[in-house]
Amino acid sequence: MADLAEAAGVSLATVDRVLNRRKGVKDRTVARVLAAAVELGYMSAEEREKLGGQRPPNVAFLLPMGSNPYLRLLGDKVRGVADTQTRDASPLRCFFIESFDAGALAAALRHHARWADGIAFMAIDHPLVREAAEEVSAAGTRLVTIVSDLPHPAREAYVGLDNQAAGRTAALLLGRFCGAREGSVALVAGSRTYRAHAEREMGFLGLLEEAYPDLRIVGMREGHDDRNENYNHTRSLLEQNPDLVGIYNVGGSSDGIARALAEQGAGDRVVFIGHGLTADTRRLLIEGTMDAVINSDPDQVIGETLARFAQPAGAAGLRPPLKMDLIFRENIPSQYL
């Protein structure tokens, strides 16, 4: 590589970027490095043609750090795809950043835009994030929001559920499961800073008020997708509301809620609906503590996102939300076993 850098009149770092098809090298510099590589016998003419063609985009996934099992599963699957990719596929990396921190997400967008052609991220709806998104998009980095959207011209697509419809679906299921019972219903969320959680709450409240007026809403508790916070919120809800008949977990870490229900002997009488089919929610469905899980297949999230970046910007147009899976004890898909 040192000989190649000297022959092409460039730095070792530039040679590395060209051979690994990274962002930030001018076309004429790429051509010079590849020509020198052929002359030195470093590669064949066929290999030069391959490396000199259209470069696949470098893609970064930015996900919130924390104990949310669904997001950890999504991150593991992204890294699994990255580990099995061929040389011709889009270079793919996944990074976990501080959860619920708009400043950290904005900084991460700017940092990874230095090397990434496209960034997929779970958005926080905040001025700092919108400003960073506008800045990196204007500089040429394509942005796709996943799981939670950021309606802004800087992002070209959203890949995820219709979250308001997901909330309405949760309310319909909970109301039907409660039957003729009257009582109070609680919501637990990660944080309203994620638009997905706010939209799910909005949809849930709207349908419950329309269709099940005998079910009284006792408000939203923010547990930051932390199992211990969710556990403490649930204990408090049970103590303060003896007539509690239902809980909708808008976010993750449902195992904390389930632990409190089990300890208080309320697992059989409180209808419990949540999001994300993972090892913990699968176990809770089988045990009967959870009644239903609303799921978005993480493989579909990744596949649709990479398909977006593989196309020219704006080529795909508007796409419908991802398919919403309703998982019950009796229909757990075998691929999650």
Side-chain angles (χ1 to χ4, degrees):
M1 288 181 66
D3 292 342
L4 182 52
E6 183 178 357
V10 298
S11 67
L12 276 171
T14 298
V15 171
D16 178 74
R17 284 198 293 271
V18 170
L19 297 182
N20 289 287
R21 308 186 82 180
R22 296 196 179 99
K23 179 180 177 181
V25 185
K26 295 178 180 178
D27 290 343
R28 63 175 180 270
T29 304
V30 172
R32 190 164 74 245
V33 171
L34 295 180
V38 173
E39 291 174 7
L40 293 175
Y42 186 86
M43 67 175 59
S44 67
E46 291 77 13
E47 289 174 316
R48 176 180 64 179
E49 290 299 317
K50 196 171 186 179
L51 287 179
Q54 182 67 35
R55 180 179 62 81
N58 299 324
V59 176
F61 275 71
L62 305 182
L63 296 174
M65 188 185 301
S67 60
N68 184 318
Y70 178 81
L71 295 178
R72 292 206 311 271
L73 174 64
L74 181 59
D76 288 343
K77 285 183 172 287
V78 171
R79 288 170 172 168
V81 171
D83 290 342
T84 57
Q85 281 184 314
T86 65
R87 184 184 181 91
D88 297 326
S90 295
L92 176 62
R93 300 178 71 187
C94 181
F95 302 91
F96 283 89
I97 59 175
E98 191 65 35
S99 302
F100 314 106
D101 188 330
L105 177 55
L109 286 170
R110 292 187 174 97
H111 175 75
H112 293 292
R114 298 172 187 170
W115 67 270
D117 299 288
I119 298 177
F121 66 106
M122 184 170 165
I124 296 174
D125 195 356
H126 190 279
L128 289 174
V129 177
R130 291 194 291 272
E131 183 71 14
E134 189 167 341
E135 179 183 314
V136 302
S137 176
T141 298
R142 298 170 63 187
L143 299 177
V144 170
T145 54
I146 57 173
V147 182
S148 188
D149 196 13
L150 179 72
H152 190 284
R155 71 99 172 101
E156 68 177 67
Y158 162 66
V159 176
L161 297 176
D162 178 335
N163 284 298
Q164 189 162 349
R168 290 181 66 86
T169 300
L172 177 64
L173 291 173
L174 189 144
R176 297 284 289 182
F177 288 164
C178 285
R181 286 191 294 167
E182 298 181 6
S184 59
V185 173
L187 295 92
V188 177
S191 171
R192 290 186 181 90
T193 60
Y194 288 119
R195 193 178 186 91
H197 293 192
E199 289 176 344
R200 291 171 188 173
E201 177 190 12
M202 183 187 309
F204 183 87
L205 295 178
L207 188 130
L208 209 67
E209 291 170 2
E210 294 167 19
Y212 301 101
D214 291 334
L215 296 177
R216 178 176 61 89
I217 304 296
V218 296
M220 166 79 85
R221 306 289 180 97
E222 292 190 353
H224 303 99
D225 287 347
D226 179 87
R227 57 173 52 92
N228 291 324
E229 285 192 53
N230 285 352
Y231 167 81
N232 290 328
H233 282 317
T234 306
R235 281 186 59 94
S236 174
L237 286 165
L238 290 167
E239 292 169 1
Q240 296 172 12
N241 304 278
D243 65 339
L244 190 72
V245 295
I247 294 178
Y248 172 37
N249 184 17
V250 174
S253 297
S254 288
D255 53 343
I257 296 172
R259 178 159 60 98
L261 290 174
E263 287 182 1
Q264 300 298 311
D268 291 336
R269 66 176 175 82
V270 175
V271 176
F272 179 21
I273 295 173
H275 279 264
L277 186 61
T278 56
D280 63 326
T281 54
R282 175 181 178 273
R283 173 179 55 82
L284 296 174
L285 283 170
I286 292 172
E287 292 174 352
T289 310
M290 287 192 80
D291 295 278
V293 169
I294 298 171
N295 189 56
S296 176
D297 184 351
D299 292 323
Q300 190 181 11
V301 173
I302 297 167
E304 178 71 16
T305 302
L306 294 180
R308 279 281 184 173
F309 286 131
Q311 297 174 316
L318 293 175
R319 297 288 294 274
L322 295 186
K323 177 172 64 74
M324 184 192 309
D325 295 321
L326 300 180
I327 312 298
F328 306 95
R329 183 179 183 179
E330 303 302 328
N331 73 334
I332 300 175
S334 59
Q335 64 262 35
Y336 293 97
L337 296 177

